[in-house]
Amino acid sequence: MQHGKALRGENLNGVDLSGERLAESMLRGVSLVEATLIGTSLRSANLSGAFVSAADLRGADLSMSFLGGAFLGWALLQEADLCGAYLRGADLREADLGRAFLNGADLSGAYLGDAKLVMADLRQASLDGADLREADLSGALLQGASLRGAMLAEVKWTPETQWPEGDVDAIRQMSREEAEGRFVINTDDSVPSGIRIQHPPS
């Protein structure tokens, strides 16, 4: 497939597109369920409203891409480059974003419940209103990120997790240590910060 290709609404479920160059392509509403896109270049591609559930995007370049409202539940995104990506309202439930690069990404209102963000780079990212309940932020970097109104109940973190400077004390106060070096944010609706804690779904 070629750079800048238009595949709007196409059904590409289960297709292997590993290593393909799809930068700046129009993939709005495309279905990539269980597709393989290891190392694929999707820089600045438009994947708004796409269905990418359980797809393998390890090491893919999704920097500056448009993924607003996309469904990426259970996707494998380890070490993927999502720097500057637009992910407003995207659904990343249980996605694996371990060591992913999300610097400056817009995740406002995104659903990241149970997502794995171990050692992910979220510096300068916008997580305003994002639902991170029960996500794993062990070792994640969040310096300069915005967490205004984010839902963080039962989020897991470690001493290596780097919270935004203004939220460090509040996060520590509302967390419990479940094991040595393993902390979990309490389910508590009254917290001394602009961060919103809500009960995880039963």
Side-chain angles (χ1 to χ4, degrees), residues 10-82:
E10 291 284 336
N11 184 335
L12 297 171
N13 295 341
V15 171
D16 189 348
L17 296 169
S18 297
E20 294 283 353
R21 296 184 179 182
L22 296 169
E24 300 180 15
S25 292
M26 171 54 73
L27 300 165
R28 188 170 184 176
V30 72
S31 186
L32 286 159
V33 177
E34 296 184 351
T36 303
L37 298 106
I38 298 172
T40 301
S41 175
L42 289 155
R43 180 179 174 83
S44 298
N46 189 335
L47 286 143
S48 300
F51 297 92
V52 199
S53 61
D56 191 342
L57 288 143
R58 288 174 293 171
D61 182 0
L62 289 149
S63 57
M64 306 303 294
S65 60
F66 297 87
L67 287 150
F71 187 87
L72 295 116
W74 307 283
L76 300 177
L77 287 150
Q78 297 103 312
E79 299 186 357
D81 186 349
L82 288 144

Side-chain angles (χ1 to χ4, degrees), residues 3-181:
H3 172 103
K5 190 173 180 64
L7 293 166
R8 183 181 300 189
E10 291 284 336
N11 184 335
L12 297 171
N13 295 341
V15 171
D16 189 348
L17 296 169
S18 297
E20 294 283 353
R21 296 184 179 182
L22 296 169
E24 300 180 15
S25 292
M26 171 54 73
L27 300 165
R28 188 170 184 176
V30 72
S31 186
L32 286 159
V33 177
E34 296 184 351
T36 303
L37 298 106
I38 298 172
T40 301
S41 175
L42 289 155
R43 180 179 174 83
S44 298
N46 189 335
L47 286 143
S48 300
F51 297 92
V52 199
S53 61
D56 191 342
L57 288 143
R58 288 174 293 171
D61 182 0
L62 289 149
S63 57
M64 306 303 294
S65 60
F66 297 87
L67 287 150
F71 187 87
L72 295 116
W74 307 283
L76 300 177
L77 287 150
Q78 297 103 312
E79 299 186 357
D81 186 349
L82 288 144
C83 293
Y86 183 88
L87 289 144
R88 274 185 180 250
D91 191 330
L92 291 128
R93 67 184 66 198
E94 298 184 46
D96 193 338
L97 291 135
R99 296 180 182 271
F101 301 95
L102 291 140
N103 316 58
D106 187 350
L107 289 147
S108 302
Y111 181 66
L112 290 144
D114 281 305
K116 295 181 180 67
L117 289 148
V118 178
M119 300 183 74
D121 190 341
L122 288 149
R123 288 176 293 180
Q124 308 298 324
S126 175
L127 290 152
D128 294 342
D131 189 340
L132 287 146
R133 288 175 290 182
E134 300 189 34
D136 191 344
L137 285 164
S138 301
L141 305 178
L142 293 113
Q143 299 101 315
S146 178
L147 292 164
R148 188 176 297 109
M151 292 175 263
L152 299 171
E154 301 302 311
V155 161
K156 295 174 278 293
W157 60 281
T158 61
E160 293 75 30
T161 303
Q162 300 295 309
W163 295 103
E165 185 176 351
D167 298 324
V168 174
D169 290 340
I171 293 289
R172 287 175 178 166
Q173 288 173 25
M174 58 178 132
S175 297
R176 65 185 184 275
E177 188 169 13
E178 289 212 327
E180 186 175 356

